[in-house]
Amino acid sequence: MNTKRPHMVSKGYIKGWADAKGIVEVIDIQGRRGLRQPIGNATVVNYVYEPTVLTTDLEAAYGQIESAGTPVIVKLRDRDIALTSADIAAMIAFMEMHLDRGRYADQAKVRTPAVLVKTGWHFEDAELSLGDRLLLSQSLPDVLRLATLGLEQWTWTVISTEGLPTGDGAVLLWVPTKGADICTVSFPLSPTRLLVIGEELPDGIPIHTRITDNCKRWIIGAPGTLNLAWADDGRAAST
């Protein structure tokens, strides 16, 4: 079943940035606008994950991942890291989904020409939607999959901070030196909680800026924490 108004950044996840009225701040980098929105409208793009060629219901698959992962995020926000193996698997799947969506977050309207080979060697011209490309990317060998890193065996820590933003580029992959293997994965759980998997992050890293700079289209913050007049200087930033 196709979802008319899917969120490009999961609704249940960004609820952690909402105030008592369910409002978050949103910067649409492509649209060059900043606004305050209810979470029900934030990062919504109609039919964005609907495939035009492939038959997999991608939005339904995402819904299952969100249903399993969101309760684990809530648990981690309370600094409860007594996670079960099922919790850990659900959280890794959620971050994998978030990372996949983020890679193409600025390409919702892009259509990619393709040629379909049908039974009897009949050829048909087609255009791949974002949903098709996301599905195909899951089998590409050069696309990093978090599941291959062995995160289940790494150290999971939740650290306190203030004013964290999130967005489509919120999953950050860290290496100790250029060209080295990934040693840490970080993911904001709320404006005051950051999940760190693997080695500790060095002191003084501008995590807020790293998150916003890594976002391709959507940046989300708690009310009063983003520079909604970002178009004046051409780039979003935390206040």
Side-chain angles (χ1 to χ4, degrees):
M1 180 177 65
N2 297 322
T3 301
K4 180 179 179 181
R5 302 182 74 251
H7 293 72
M8 297 190 76
V9 183
S10 303
K11 177 182 175 181
Y13 168 62
I14 62 176
K15 186 177 180 180
W17 278 260
D19 63 14
K21 296 181 179 179
I23 302 297
V24 292
E25 290 187 341
V26 180
I27 290 175
D28 179 352
I29 298 170
Q30 276 189 315
R32 296 184 65 83
R33 59 181 184 150
L35 62 161
R36 291 179 173 83
Q37 287 186 307
I39 57 174
N41 294 334
T43 79
V44 167
V45 177
N46 290 346
Y47 300 111
V48 67
Y49 297 124
E50 180 181 350
T52 59
V53 175
L54 303 177
T55 58
T56 301
D57 190 339
L58 184 59
E59 187 60 31
Y62 283 162
Q64 292 178 353
I65 292 170
E66 290 169 342
S67 294
T70 302
V72 184
I73 292 173
V74 173
K75 189 176 184 179
L76 288 166
R77 282 174 183 156
D78 293 333
R79 302 189 68 136
D80 182 357
I81 57 173
L83 302 180
T84 67
S85 57
D87 288 339
I88 291 172
M91 190 64 213
I92 293 172
F94 189 96
M95 292 188 295
E96 191 88 79
M97 174 191 69
H98 196 99
L99 193 59
D100 276 347
R101 285 170 156 175
R103 290 188 180 104
Y104 303 98
D106 59 346
Q107 299 180 40
K109 296 181 179 180
V110 173
R111 295 295 180 267
T112 304
V115 176
L116 306 182
V117 181
K118 297 200 166 184
T119 304
W121 290 97
H122 296 294
F123 298 90
E124 180 181 313
D125 292 332
E127 288 188 335
L128 302 180
S129 67
L130 176 58
D132 295 311
R133 294 170 66 206
L134 279 164
L135 287 165
L136 291 171
S137 74
Q138 294 176 5
S139 60
L140 295 176
D142 58 339
V143 175
L144 173 72
R145 315 308 305 180
L146 294 182
T148 66
L149 298 179
L151 300 184
E152 302 89 342
Q153 307 303 319
W154 294 15
T155 301
W156 290 50
T157 307
V158 176
I159 62 175
S160 297
T161 184
E162 293 294 334
L164 275 178
T166 191
D168 55 64
V171 178
L172 296 182
L173 311 176
W174 303 84
V175 295
T177 58
K178 186 176 181 180
D181 292 336
I182 295 167
C183 65
T184 306
V185 176
S186 67
F187 186 60
L189 303 167
S190 76
T192 61
R193 297 285 186 268
L194 179 70
L195 174 63
V196 178
I197 306 172
E199 298 181 10
E200 294 183 5
L201 293 174
D203 293 336
I205 284 182
I207 188 72
H208 298 62
T209 303
R210 293 287 183 91
I211 292 170
T212 56
D213 284 351
N214 200 47
C215 293
K216 293 179 179 295
R217 178 169 183 180
W218 304 106
I219 299 171
I220 298 100
T225 62
L226 295 184
N227 174 17
L228 297 183
W230 70 281
D232 292 339
D233 57 18
R235 187 66 175 116
S238 300
T239 56

